[in-house]
Amino acid sequence: MGAETTEAWSLLRGPAGTLQSTRHLDCQACLPSGCGNPEARVRAPREGAASGEGSPSLGPEPTSYFTTRLGRWPGGLSLSEHSPLRPSAQKGQSNLAWVPPAGRMDEEGLECGKPDFVLLDQVTMEDFMENLKLRFEKGLIYTYIGEVLVSVNPYQELPLYGPEAIAKYQGRELYERPPHLYAVANAAYRAMKRRSRDTCIVISGESGAGKTEASKHIMQYIAAVTNPSQRAEVDRVKDVLLKSTCVLEAFGNARTNRNHNSSRFGKYMDINFDFKGDPVGGHIHSYLLEKSRVLKQHVGERNFHAFYQVLRGCEDAELQKLHLQRNPALYNFTRQGAGLSALESDEKSHYLAVMEAMRVIGFSAEEVGSVHRILAAILHLGNIEFLETEEAGLEQGHVAVAEELLVDHVAQLTATPRELVLRCLLSRTVASGGRELIEKGHTAAEASYARDACAKAVYQRLFEWVVNRINGVMEPRGRDPRRDGKDTVIGVLDIYGFEVFPVNSFEQFCINYCNEKLQQLFIQLILKQEQEEYEREGIAWQSVDYFNNATIVELVERPHRGVLAVLDEACSAAGTITDRIFLQSLDTHHRHHPHYTSRQLCPTDKTMEFGRDFRIKHYAGDVTYSVEGFIDKNRDHLFQDFKRLMYNSSDPTLRAMWPDGQQDITEVTKRPLTAGTLFKNSMVALVENLACKEPFYVRCIKPNEDKVAARLDEDHCRHQVAYLGLLENVRVRRAGFASRQPYPRFLLRYKMTCEYTWPNHLLGSDRAAVSALLEQHGLQGDVAFGHTKLFIRSPQTLVTLEQSRARLIPIIVLLLQKAWRGTLARRHCRQLRAVYTIMRWFRRHKVRAHLAELQRRFQAARQPPLYGRDLVWPPPPAVLQPFQDTCQALFCRWRARQLVKNIPPSDMAQIKAKVAAMGVLQELRQDWGCRRAWVRDYLSSATDNPTASGLFAERLKALRDKDNFGAVLFSSHVRKVNRFSKSRDRALLLTDRHLYKLDPGRQYRVMRAVPLEAVTGLSVTSGRDQLVVLHARGQDDLVVCLHRSRPPLDNRVGELVGVLAAYCQGKGRALEVRVSDCIPLSQRGARRLVSVEPKPEQPEPDFRCSRGAFTLLWPSR
Ligand SMILES: Nc1ncnc2c1ncn2[C@@H]1O[C@H](COP(=O)(O)OP(=O)(O)O)[C@@H](O)[C@H]1O
Ligand SMILES: [Mg+2]
């Protein structure tokens, strides 16, 4: 065993204290046992008290299946807390008073008896009955025998069903929760889903034992747990499945003395599932409808519900159309049960429910109308009486219908010609050789017989049509086995239970034969298989005797000699064979059969009548059958005339029910199979179908004959327990071993209780591991090892194992939680790390890609003369934005350097001046003459100043000598205006020392010299004019307009500003340059404004003064 295993094991063991403190009250993980209240658990009654078992050191009681089975339940419910069934007000079976049990449904205490009969201390009828009764009194109507569910009809609504209960059983194993129908349904569903096995649930029991109710609960469960993906098709199928029950019950159920809603037909329903376990379709097989009920019912019984529902439920107008009146007592067929009708309102609500169900299933309004008309026609048919008339001949009477209006009604409702209806009622057509047809009149008795046969047949065809119609809707649609895989199937069999009436006829015979067949199947599958399993597993054990009813089945169905064969023979014999002759024939054939007797064979038995009764000792009890009507019912004859009549109806629904009416009367057909043979064949097919499926059994028990709640008649139940073979079932199940489990499953459940098997064993086989586990517990003496399964003899062994397991479960839960939380955290951490790595690499990739792109684009940046001027910078990733900003600045400087490098030194001064001008004027002034060569000293230029450049040169020389300046920064003719508003022509000279105002008229004599340091700023306008205002410290502002340039009006203001600004920059001085279209002036303290007025007709620029403001008249062109 690895170190890890040892560590886990020691952790698992833990201190005893941990065990108790870590139990979770409602922890799912502590399931399957489910945690209860630990305190209550301590108080819970212990079985140990009875068996002298159980030590206080065991800690909290385990709450497992097996302890549950032994009656230890931790809920701590005292007897008084449980609410026993209370007898209801005896107002019929639906009026039920139930006080819900105080505990949860999975809380069963010792006082509730054993949930599995296998756990009985002794398997005797007394113990069995005691347990059954005890549980029944506590409202626990379900008990297991292994995997067989025994259910007792409570005859009252119990709070055991519904979504909450369904959720409790969903996905659970059979043994994890207290016995319930849902558990069986779930087991069948899981077996089907897990192993793709077809399964079936066989529900048996006598009439009124609760079979149909059980089948409904099973369907509800299946509907509730399927279709998690909410597919519309699945929902549709489920709807039809659920609603079909309601419709079938209306047409196939009736009130009998044993059950107010007794199924008068057998029903086997297949539900098809796709590979995901969702229902995709279904099919209903119906068996032997008791159609004689249409004509006649026993005292205290009723006809099929459908008749009463139509009479009570239809609207007045519709009833009128059907020529019916509400009172069922007015019709022969419903008169018997008229007084037994349910409340009229109930009948009406049932009627509405059936109508709704038919609508949901997909019956059209026309079809429903046809159904009503057919039911009405049957009722009218039943009221038709025949009279022998006077003119009757001697041999053959002439017969007439007593009330011809009824014939009209029947004809109208069946949409057939009236004359034909009348003819069919009063006579029959006989083919007498060849194509010759003879019409043969009925006697009154024959006519009544024909009428009854017709009524029965019409009802039966109606019922079959309803079933087929439902099947048509439920047929799995668009399924392709190659694409969707094979459908799996769950079959639910709800078939009539064993019946014994005061007078038993052919129907009871068939029903009881059916029950014999099913009992046979049960024996085959459960009892025989169980014994065979021991043999197969190589376990030595003693056989248990059980009553095998094969011999009774044989008595009924054996070819040539069986009761059905003898009956068929009697039916087919020529001449008039009476029921009595049939009975004699039976007597001869079965004279020595141990299960057959009759008055003839046992003359002393006065309970049978001579020539009428025979008795079969069924597995469920003796039943005396009256042979009266056997031959007739078996032959099930209906004159062809009726079939043709119906086939020729103009109602398409009715016509569709009678396809065989098409046959020509003269056609000689093979004798049709008898009702008995048909039934036998369908039974054989049914049993074959069930035998190839994995069976689950529900055995229903009827607690009393009076349909009252909370009363269990022991004798009555004992009889059922006996004939259902339940005791044998328990014995076989228990004889050797209370439980068996495949080795892997056993290990899965108990491996944590042994250090060699936890968490996984390293032994040679599962069997060896199981052996080691049992040895550690000292339990090896109480088990037997089969080839694949472990067989455990006493329940106590299981209890011990369960207790150990329950102690360890909380720690395992913690261990798993710890590991799982760690796993989750690590997974999260890994995910985060991965995210960051991805982010890092992504960024890296983006940066690389960006740099590569930069490199590619700027490869040509060194090419003169543009030096990459037009290159576009690609948008950088966010992280590179500052980097790119720096690069761009660097690039600009580098480019500037490249450009500047190529400028000749002689141009440098001009470039500097232009740069300085740009710095102050760019975007503020329209044009500042940057594209011109800046000459600066325009007055010395012969081109610009042709007449006086020599004079100016002389003046310049004199000034240079006097003021010792270095260079001329700027010179130009100007027009100036003074503070007296006088404008004159002057010249402006700017050297690196002074600003001179010269008079050009007088050899450029200096009129004013201002040291350059005193010049503080310049003002110019934003237009193209040449107005300049020079501001100097301690001086009046000098207002001039540069003029007389060549070419005229040349733009030189920018040059003046640039030269001065560059000079000041060089000296590190500030120069204020203002750009404004309305320049303020200061002259001797006076404030004035100067602005520019464009004037096209003005020859030369000049100033005008008005109201203390100067205006430069600028000759704009
Ligand atoms: N589980 C149940 N809970 C409440 N009432 C039930 C239950 N099972 C049967 N019954 C009652 O017993 C009556 C007969 O049951 P039903 O299933 O029709 O019998 P069966 O089909 O065996 O003849 C039902 O109408 C219903 O009143
Ligand atoms: Mg039923």
Side-chain angles (χ1 to χ4, degrees):
M1 195 183 309
E4 240 180 273
T5 324
T6 329
E7 195 187 312
W9 174 246
S10 60
L11 181 69
L12 250 181
R13 288 204 147 163
T18 356
L19 287 174
Q20 298 197 10
S21 58
T22 49
R23 277 198 84 86
H24 302 178
L25 285 184
D26 246 318
C27 173
Q28 283 293 310
C30 299
L31 298 171
S33 48
C35 291
N37 175 354
E39 205 189 309
R41 203 173 298 122
V42 174
R43 279 195 277 116
R46 296 173 50 84
E47 196 222 21
S51 62
E53 255 285 324
S55 94
S57 64
L58 281 174
E61 282 285 309
T63 56
S64 64
Y65 155 62
F66 292 104
T67 44
T68 308
R69 284 181 157 200
L70 282 173
R72 288 186 186 173
W73 191 257
L77 300 172
S78 69
L79 267 169
S80 60
E81 277 176 299
H82 252 288
S83 305
L85 298 177
R86 287 202 203 132
S88 69
Q90 305 268 329
K91 203 182 143 195
Q93 65 198 97
S94 59
N95 179 13
L96 308 166
W98 163 257
V99 187
R104 295 203 322 253
M105 53 175 294
D106 53 349
E107 290 172 349
E108 287 181 10
L110 174 64
E111 68 279 11
C112 298
K114 321 246 158 153
D116 192 330
F117 287 112
V118 169
L119 301 170
L120 285 176
D121 295 332
Q122 288 178 1
V123 187
T124 61
M125 182 56 96
E126 277 56 50
D127 286 7
F128 191 101
M129 286 310 298
E130 194 186 322
N131 193 45
L132 190 76
K133 195 165 180 201
L134 183 65
R135 289 179 66 75
F136 183 72
E137 281 165 1
K138 303 284 175 229
L140 303 169
I141 57 170
Y142 298 120
T143 315
Y144 289 131
I145 302 175
E147 281 164 11
V148 173
L149 183 77
V150 178
S151 154
V152 188
N153 186 349
Y155 277 122
Q156 60 180 322
E157 302 297 329
L158 297 185
L160 297 175
Y161 314 101
E164 213 179 295
I166 287 174
K168 282 218 163 85
Y169 284 87
Q170 192 174 353
R172 298 278 166 195
E173 295 292 344
L174 201 63
Y175 50 80
E176 286 183 48
R177 293 271 188 248
H180 201 291
L181 263 175
Y182 290 161
V184 175
N186 183 48
Y189 180 66
R190 280 159 72 91
M192 185 275 297
K193 213 171 151 180
R194 265 191 204 158
R195 304 198 287 275
S196 289
R197 281 286 311 265
D198 288 349
T199 57
C200 65
I201 303 175
V202 179
I203 311 169
S204 53
E206 65 182 61
S207 178
K211 299 181 296 296
T212 304
E213 292 295 318
S215 78
K216 285 192 242 176
H217 290 308
I218 288 168
M219 304 282 281
Q220 267 160 6
Y221 181 86
I222 290 174
V225 301
T226 51
N227 197 24
S229 49
Q230 295 306 311
R231 284 184 297 146
E233 172 63 10
V234 174
D235 275 339
R236 185 189 71 85
V237 170
K238 287 197 309 195
D239 258 5
V240 176
L241 279 176
L242 292 178
K243 294 285 182 194
S244 66
T245 319
C246 168
V247 178
L248 289 179
E249 282 191 3
F251 290 95
N253 285 25
R255 175 178 171 144
T256 68
N257 285 318
R258 325 191 82 214
N259 180 358
H260 288 184
N261 183 30
S262 176
S263 318
R264 306 318 298 162
F265 68 107
K267 185 172 100 179
Y268 172 73
M269 180 183 257
D270 264 335
I271 311 169
N272 295 53
F273 293 85
D274 63 7
F275 71 98
K276 294 201 300 298
D278 286 333
V280 288
H283 190 91
I284 297 168
H285 298 264
S286 66
Y287 296 95
L288 191 71
L289 179 75
E290 186 201 36
K291 61 182 171 179
S292 63
R293 180 167 296 272
V294 174
L295 312 180
K296 210 165 145 231
Q297 307 89 33
H298 290 286
V299 178
E301 302 199 349
R302 296 205 315 174
N303 208 325
F304 293 100
H305 296 324
F307 291 109
Y308 305 91
Q309 285 174 1
V310 165
L311 289 175
R312 300 283 194 198
C314 271
E315 296 296 329
D316 287 337
E318 186 166 7
L319 220 50
Q320 217 168 3
K321 273 198 220 153
L322 300 174
H323 309 293
L324 290 177
Q325 292 176 46
R326 280 218 187 279
N327 187 359
L330 296 174
Y331 303 96
N332 285 336
F333 288 168
T334 48
R335 183 167 301 137
Q336 160 65 38
L340 305 166
S341 292
L343 287 177
E344 198 160 326
S345 57
D346 279 358
E347 211 78 79
K348 172 122 194 168
S349 68
H350 286 151
Y351 168 80
L352 293 177
V354 173
M355 288 299 109
E356 169 62 12
M358 288 179 92
R359 192 190 59 73
V360 171
I361 292 170
F363 284 85
S364 68
E366 290 75 49
E367 286 172 335
V368 174
S370 294
V371 169
H372 285 170
R373 283 195 296 278
I374 293 169
L375 290 172
I378 294 172
L379 288 177
H380 290 305
L381 209 52
N383 278 7
I384 294 179
E385 308 271 348
F386 300 97
L387 303 171
E388 306 251 352
T389 52
E390 277 305 302
E391 67 259 44
L394 279 178
E395 290 109 85
Q396 194 175 316
H398 185 85
V399 178
V401 169
E403 203 180 338
E404 295 226 342
L405 183 65
L406 293 173
V407 180
D408 293 346
H409 292 340
V410 172
Q412 191 215 326
L413 292 168
T414 54
T416 49
R418 178 187 185 281
E419 287 65 41
L420 276 184
V421 176
L422 197 59
R423 215 158 78 200
C424 286
L425 285 170
L426 298 178
S427 63
R428 66 183 182 276
T429 319
V430 187
S432 68
R435 300 195 59 80
E436 206 181 316
L437 298 179
I438 307 167
E439 193 163 306
K440 193 160 177 272
H442 286 317
T443 61
E446 279 169 345
S448 302
Y449 174 83
R451 174 203 61 202
D452 289 351
C454 177
K456 280 194 296 187
V458 170
Y459 192 80
Q460 186 186 19
R461 298 274 172 122
L462 171 65
F463 180 75
E464 282 167 6
W465 176 82
V466 169
V467 173
N468 287 336
R469 188 74 184 68
I470 295 173
N471 280 338
V473 178
M474 274 200 305
E475 215 57 57
R477 289 182 190 169
R479 308 276 304 155
D480 176 359
R482 269 176 308 178
R483 186 193 60 206
D484 305 317
K486 187 184 149 302
D487 285 355
T488 39
V489 167
I490 293 185
V492 181
L493 180 70
D494 164 24
I495 209 155
Y496 14 59
F498 194 78
E499 277 184 358
V500 196
F501 290 135
V503 180
N504 301 292
S505 183
F506 182 71
E507 287 84 4
Q508 278 68 46
F509 176 76
C510 288
I511 288 172
N512 293 342
Y513 158 64
C514 160
N515 280 278
E516 291 285 357
K517 282 293 274 186
L518 292 174
Q519 176 69 6
Q520 229 334 254
L521 184 72
F522 178 75
I523 288 171
Q524 293 260 334
L525 294 178
I526 299 289
L527 302 182
K528 217 164 133 209
Q529 262 180 18
E530 179 99 6
Q531 307 216 23
E532 279 169 3
E533 180 171 34
Y534 292 133
E535 274 165 36
R536 199 170 47 243
E537 290 283 335
I539 303 281
W541 95 300
Q542 217 181 342
S543 271
V544 170
D545 283 340
Y546 55 83
F547 172 64
N548 191 337
N549 69 338
T551 162
I552 307 173
V553 174
E554 183 110 310
L555 169 68
V556 177
E557 67 174 23
R558 191 171 160 188
H560 311 304
R561 296 195 47 163
V563 178
L564 286 173
V566 174
L567 183 58
D568 277 2
E569 204 181 286
C571 289
S572 62
T576 38
I577 296 276
T578 57
D579 292 324
R580 212 184 167 103
I581 301 174
F582 157 63
L583 181 60
Q584 283 165 6
S585 176
L586 274 185
D587 285 346
T588 11
H589 277 104
H590 302 295
R591 176 173 302 276
H592 301 299
H593 199 288
H595 294 274
Y596 176 87
T597 180
S598 69
R599 186 70 186 270
Q600 177 82 26
L601 301 178
C602 182
T604 48
D605 191 342
K606 299 246 164 49
T607 52
M608 287 182 285
E609 210 168 283
F610 259 121
R612 195 196 73 181
D613 295 345
F614 70 93
R615 180 175 297 158
I616 292 182
K617 287 186 180 162
H618 284 288
Y619 78 100
D622 296 357
V623 183
T624 309
Y625 298 99
S626 153
V627 289
E628 272 171 19
F630 258 60
I631 288 181
D632 199 34
K633 285 174 178 171
N634 190 42
R635 210 180 261 147
D636 195 22
H637 189 67
L638 179 68
F639 295 124
Q640 182 70 17
D641 302 61
F642 276 118
K643 296 183 188 171
R644 263 179 302 133
L645 178 70
M646 295 299 159
Y647 176 73
N648 287 319
S649 160
S650 51
D651 179 342
T653 310
L654 182 59
R655 187 187 166 93
M657 296 175 196
W658 295 88
D660 48 351
Q662 207 175 359
Q663 229 170 46
D664 194 82
I665 182 97
T666 52
E667 256 178 62
V668 184
T669 49
K670 252 179 43 191
R671 192 190 296 274
L673 290 178
T674 58
T677 305
L678 281 174
F679 186 68
K680 185 184 87 180
N681 293 348
S682 67
M683 280 303 119
V684 172
L686 172 69
V687 167
E688 266 172 23
N689 181 10
L690 294 177
C692 68
K693 297 191 161 80
E694 193 169 323
F696 291 83
Y697 274 94
V698 179
R699 311 288 263 169
C700 297
I701 291 179
K702 189 175 179 182
N704 59 66
E705 272 300 338
D706 305 326
K707 302 181 273 288
V708 290
R711 203 185 81 209
L712 190 132
D713 291 347
E714 280 203 41
D715 286 344
H716 191 69
C717 291
R718 193 173 288 131
H719 177 62
Q720 294 171 69
V721 170
Y723 78 66
L724 287 173
L726 299 186
L727 274 183
E728 283 94 335
N729 193 184
V730 179
R731 278 202 199 105
V732 171
R733 184 100 196 152
R734 252 183 65 129
F737 304 95
S739 159
R740 85 259 7 241
Q741 292 183 38
Y743 293 122
R745 207 169 93 191
F746 180 87
L747 275 180
L748 216 56
R749 191 159 178 87
Y750 301 114
K751 62 179 180 175
M752 71 291 289
T753 64
C754 168
E755 55 193 298
Y756 299 113
T757 53
W758 176 261
N760 290 305
H761 72 82
L762 299 171
L763 296 159
S765 65
D766 282 353
R767 183 180 164 155
V770 169
S771 171
L773 189 153
L774 290 166
E775 257 170 55
Q776 175 157 330
H777 287 281
L779 296 171
Q780 67 275 29
D782 194 41
V783 299
F785 292 91
H787 298 311
T788 63
K789 287 179 180 172
L790 176 73
F791 291 79
I792 300 171
R793 201 170 300 276
S794 66
Q796 200 49 46
T797 299
L798 277 174
V799 175
T800 313
L801 287 167
E802 280 292 320
Q803 285 173 343
S804 314
R805 180 178 181 277
R807 271 202 303 275
L808 290 164
I809 286 290
I811 303 173
I812 294 180
V813 169
L814 276 190
L815 190 73
L816 291 178
Q817 280 180 346
K818 192 180 81 175
W820 181 238
R821 288 201 179 121
T823 303
L824 285 183
R826 276 189 292 278
R827 188 184 292 170
H828 183 64
C829 177
R830 272 200 301 277
Q831 277 169 352
L832 271 185
R833 278 202 195 130
V835 165
Y836 281 112
T837 307
I838 290 169
M839 275 161 58
R840 204 167 53 241
W841 279 94
F842 182 69
R843 274 201 199 129
R844 198 174 285 185
H845 158 77
K846 292 288 272 187
V847 167
R848 278 196 181 155
H850 181 70
L851 293 181
E853 177 64 13
L854 273 185
Q855 201 177 12
R856 191 183 66 77
R857 288 194 190 186
F858 282 79
Q859 235 157 20
R862 288 180 194 282
Q863 299 284 318
L866 295 180
Y867 294 103
R869 189 187 70 185
D870 297 333
L871 294 179
V872 180
W873 290 73
V879 64
L880 283 188
Q881 189 64 55
F883 167 78
Q884 179 129 324
D885 292 346
T886 313
C887 279
Q888 276 174 339
L890 284 172
F891 175 73
C892 286
R893 291 177 63 169
W894 170 83
R895 213 176 134 253
R897 229 181 104 66
Q898 299 310 310
L899 294 175
V900 168
K901 217 163 62 183
N902 294 333
I903 298 171
S906 55
D907 287 354
M908 269 326 273
Q910 186 184 159
I911 292 289
K912 279 186 180 164
K914 283 186 176 173
V915 169
M918 186 172 81
V920 290
L921 295 179
Q922 178 87 324
E923 290 175 5
L924 295 177
R925 190 175 159 89
Q926 276 177 13
D927 182 7
W928 45 279
C930 115
R931 304 208 169 272
R932 237 173 6 87
W934 286 1
V935 177
R936 299 186 172 214
D937 189 2
Y938 291 98
L939 294 182
S940 302
S941 154
T943 9
D944 218 70
N945 191 9
T947 53
S949 58
L951 274 177
F952 179 72
E954 277 169 35
R955 174 67 60 202
L956 203 58
K957 189 168 176 297
L959 273 177
R960 181 172 276 133
D961 293 345
K962 178 175 155 255
D963 289 344
N964 198 22
F965 62 83
V968 175
L969 297 183
F970 187 79
S971 69
S972 169
H973 285 119
V974 298
R975 180 82 179 165
K976 77 132 229 200
V977 64
N978 66 8
R979 61 191 161 96
F980 307 111
S981 311
K982 292 264 172 25
S983 54
R984 298 272 186 276
D985 278 346
R986 292 284 183 261
L988 191 71
L989 171 63
L990 196 66
T991 66
D992 54 2
R993 300 220 137 180
H994 289 94
L995 168 71
Y996 300 99
K997 185 169 78 177
L998 311 175
D999 184 355
R1002 288 197 264 165
Q1003 290 90 43
Y1004 295 101
R1005 195 164 59 88
V1006 174
M1007 298 190 66
R1008 195 163 127 198
V1010 180
L1012 208 52
E1013 292 87 63
V1015 176
T1016 55
L1018 283 165
S1019 293
V1020 297
T1021 67
S1022 62
R1024 282 186 53 88
D1025 59 88
Q1026 296 299 301
L1027 177 70
V1028 180
V1029 178
L1030 289 142
H1031 309 284
R1033 211 178 304 115
Q1035 304 278 331
D1036 281 354
D1037 289 341
L1038 179 63
V1039 184
V1040 297
C1041 172
L1042 309 185
H1043 80 152
R1044 285 173 55 192
S1045 55
R1046 299 277 153 76
L1049 306 184
D1050 200 12
N1051 194 349
R1052 290 182 184 160
V1053 164
E1055 187 175 348
L1056 171 59
V1057 172
V1059 166
L1060 198 56
Y1063 176 80
C1064 290
Q1065 260 173 24
K1067 293 282 171 210
R1069 276 208 299 119
L1071 179 79
E1072 193 183 351
V1073 178
R1074 264 186 263 146
V1075 180
S1076 163
D1077 289 334
C1078 193
I1079 303 168
L1081 298 177
S1082 162
Q1083 286 175 327
R1084 298 285 153 97
R1087 297 238 153 242
R1088 284 186 156 165
L1089 291 172
V1090 57
S1091 56
V1092 178
E1093 184 183 323
K1095 216 162 178 193
E1097 64 277 16
Q1098 182 80 16
E1100 285 288 313
D1102 201 357
F1103 289 96
R1104 191 183 62 200
C1105 179
S1106 64
R1107 278 181 261 135
F1110 299 120
T1111 308
L1112 171 67
L1113 303 174
W1114 178 254
S1116 65
R1117 302 210 168 98

